[in-house]
Amino acid sequence: IRALLFLKVTMHLAILLFFLLEAINAQFPRQCATVDALIQGECCPDLSPVLVPGSDRCGSSSGRGQCLQVIADSRPHGPQYIHDGRDDREQWPLRFFNQTC
């Protein structure tokens, strides 16, 4: 019975890990993962580039979003956080983008 329970738990963990890895697959839109986008610090992809390039940033024409200045949480970290100032996740996503959808 223990072996069966272990197998069941292991299988559930494997399925969970599979779905988590799939979810991580698209952190940034492809248009934002270019050298130019990273230099400009802007992640506001054009959703309709065929009609008029640059006219539908973040899907604004259909009410999906707007390209706005990023406002990050500036509260200090607790003493348990030992990587203060060295982690790209701090003040996310300001390490990469100043404007996003």
Side-chain angles (χ1 to χ4, degrees), residues 12-85:
H12 282 116
L13 287 174
I15 291 170
L16 178 64
L17 182 62
F18 173 77
F19 284 114
L20 286 175
L21 289 176
E22 285 297 314
I24 295 171
N25 213 6
Q27 184 83 22
F28 295 116
R30 186 179 302 267
Q31 299 92 328
C32 298
T34 65
V35 173
D36 290 336
L38 291 170
I39 289 172
Q40 292 173 1
E42 185 178 290
C43 181
C44 299
D46 189 2
L47 296 185
S48 301
V50 177
L51 301 174
V52 179
S55 66
D56 193 23
R57 293 173 30 176
C58 301
S60 59
S61 67
S62 61
R64 288 184 68 184
Q66 295 177 318
C67 187
L68 299 173
Q69 191 74 24
V70 174
I71 300 171
D73 187 2
S74 61
R75 292 178 292 179
H77 299 295
Q80 76 281 7
Y81 187 75
I82 59 172
H83 302 291
D84 199 21

